[in-house]
Amino acid sequence: MELLALDRVTKRYAPDRPPAVDALTLTVEQGEILALLGPSGCGKTTTLRLIAGFEVPDSGRVVIRGATMAGPEGWIPPEARGVGIVFQDYALFPHLTVAENVGFGLHHFGRTARQERISQILELVGLGSFARRYPHELSGGQQQRVAVARALAPAPALILLDEPFSNLDAYLRAQMRDEVERILRNTGTTGIFVTHDQEEAFTLADRVGVLNEGRLEQLDAPETIYHHPATLFVAEFVGAANFIPGLVTPYGIVTELGVVANTGAWKIGEKVKVMIRPDDITFVPSSVGDGMIIRRDFRGSETLYCIRLPSGHRVHSSQASSSLYPNGTRVRAEVHLIHVVTFPA
């Protein structure tokens, strides 16, 4: 069932500037987790603010559970939208205890019902024994759980998370990412979160929307975004990608690294760019190889090599972390494309 729909939503902050959000159209299903991914300034946070009601769109329509929240008919304030928010800095009240923070939006509950709801939510996020503590007495991960609990307490139709893990170290970030997903899945809560971290988006989301200058470039499953990017921007932004020139022939697309299939229905004689991911490239050390390793980055779980081809083009190859070849090693590079993705040259 469709929970949220944005229909050609546009927002400008100044009449002489490009729109922060430009004719954005998307839908989110009940229980789905959607990630909005993109570089700084692409309109991710503005989109969340438009959904929450903190911003009024210049045009278009925001619909939640079939009811228009913003559009030509009028505008519904944030407190009446049934939307929960988790801010980047958590925005906890320092003078209130954990229980008081979680219960802040439950004033319409009776006293007993309010206490029961607070206890229920704190148990859900694993903080049942922290009810009387204050925010400064909690770790970063615990503060985030409180922020999530506060957003979930009123049982919102939708929860919005703006860069929710950016203030955490790498280990805690991964741990809390799993924890937040567990909470959303267990409660059946629909979630939209903003991030510039691709791994985060791919790990957590059912679908990923890639934004660029306020426009939605692609909205798809994480696997589709990575293996079948719809635009050159998505291909360049999501994951590491190199592009080498190719010429379309009757036998396929001829490149410096061999012939690949013409899956784009290009016409014979056309010039294209062929996208190559680091996991598409392998190499064999060879004294007569025409490629050369010019950089090696050890990343723990893998080693990433940069190989210069005879033409001067560079490609990257992801190898096992035990692979150790010094710079200057001559190699014979080979491409093994499972998904051939091409763009106009």
Side-chain angles (χ1 to χ4, degrees), residues 32-55:
E32 183 179 20
I33 299 178
L34 173 70
L36 295 179
L37 180 65
S40 297
C42 71
K44 304 185 300 293
T45 296
T46 299
T47 299
L48 283 198
R49 293 178 62 83
L50 287 164
I51 296 169
F54 299 145
E55 301 287 353

Side-chain angles (χ1 to χ4, degrees), residues 163-177:
E163 299 275 9
F165 313 112
S166 61
N167 294 330
L168 305 177
D169 60 63
Y171 172 76
L172 190 56
R173 187 174 186 139
Q175 186 180 40
M176 289 309 303
R177 184 173 61 208

Side-chain angles (χ1 to χ4, degrees), residues 12-343:
R12 292 178 182 270
Y13 288 110
D16 58 340
R17 301 286 298 169
V21 173
D22 190 1
L24 179 60
T25 297
L26 60 83
T27 60
V28 182
E29 299 295 313
Q30 175 71 48
E32 183 179 20
I33 299 178
L34 173 70
L36 295 179
L37 180 65
S40 297
C42 71
K44 304 185 300 293
T45 296
T46 299
T47 299
L48 283 198
R49 293 178 62 83
L50 287 164
I51 296 169
F54 299 145
E55 301 287 353
V56 180
D58 298 322
S59 61
R61 190 185 305 271
V62 178
V63 179
I64 299 176
R65 283 183 171 171
T68 298
M69 299 290 115
E73 303 92 337
W75 176 80
I76 304 298
E79 63 271 17
R81 294 194 178 195
V83 174
I85 311 286
V86 178
F87 296 100
Q88 184 175 355
D89 60 357
Y90 314 142
L92 300 178
F93 299 108
H95 63 292
L96 299 182
T97 65
V98 167
E100 290 167 339
N101 266 282
V102 172
F104 185 78
L106 303 179
H107 299 298
H108 58 291
F109 281 57
R111 181 174 181 178
T112 301
R114 185 167 180 263
Q115 291 302 320
E116 289 178 352
R117 181 61 176 168
I118 292 171
S119 297
Q120 178 188 19
I121 292 295
L122 286 178
E123 289 297 330
L124 177 68
V125 301
L127 292 176
S129 61
F130 290 76
R132 296 186 177 183
R133 294 197 186 183
Y134 288 87
H136 72 272
E137 298 175 312
L138 305 176
S139 68
Q142 290 167 339
Q143 289 180 22
Q144 187 190 56
R145 290 189 191 190
V146 175
V148 171
R150 184 177 61 185
L152 287 172
L158 175 66
I159 188 168
L160 309 176
L161 304 102
D162 187 6
E163 299 275 9
F165 313 112
S166 61
N167 294 330
L168 305 177
D169 60 63
Y171 172 76
L172 190 56
R173 187 174 186 139
Q175 186 180 40
M176 289 309 303
R177 184 173 61 208
D178 294 343
E179 187 70 13
V180 168
E181 181 184 12
R182 179 190 66 80
I183 293 168
L184 294 181
R185 301 290 187 197
N186 287 350
T187 58
T189 304
T190 306
I192 301 176
F193 75 98
V194 154
T195 182
H196 59 268
D197 187 310
Q198 298 163 25
E199 179 184 348
E200 195 168 277
F202 288 175
T203 302
L204 220 101
D206 298 305
R207 290 189 300 157
V208 176
V210 182
L211 292 174
N212 177 32
E213 296 182 344
R215 296 185 300 273
L216 185 64
E217 296 266 340
Q218 187 172 358
L219 177 60
D220 266 310
E223 298 85 356
T224 304
I225 293 284
Y226 183 81
H227 291 299
H228 301 283
T231 67
L232 187 61
F233 174 83
V234 175
E236 291 176 328
F237 183 76
V238 175
N242 299 117
F243 301 88
I244 60 173
L247 177 66
V248 181
T249 74
Y251 313 103
I253 300 174
V254 177
T255 76
E256 190 173 6
L257 292 172
V259 181
V260 299
N262 180 12
T263 59
W266 299 101
K267 295 179 181 179
I268 294 174
E270 285 189 293
K271 295 180 179 180
V272 298
K273 291 181 179 179
V274 180
M275 183 189 79
I276 300 177
R277 300 285 193 194
D279 45 328
D280 295 327
I281 290 281
T282 187
F283 62 84
V284 178
S286 172
S287 59
V288 294
D290 54 9
M292 179 180 290
I293 294 174
I294 59 173
R295 183 177 176 86
R296 177 175 65 87
D297 293 328
F298 179 71
R299 299 187 173 185
S301 60
E302 66 171 353
T303 300
L304 187 68
Y305 290 95
C306 181
I307 301 171
R308 185 177 61 214
L309 303 177
S311 65
H313 287 98
R314 299 180 181 188
V315 294
H316 291 81
S317 175
S318 176
Q319 300 295 317
S321 61
S322 57
S323 171
L324 296 174
Y325 295 104
N327 292 344
T329 301
R330 301 201 68 86
V331 298
R332 185 178 72 252
E334 299 175 352
V335 62
H336 301 280
L337 290 178
I338 299 175
H339 308 283
V340 179
V341 179
T342 51
F343 298 96

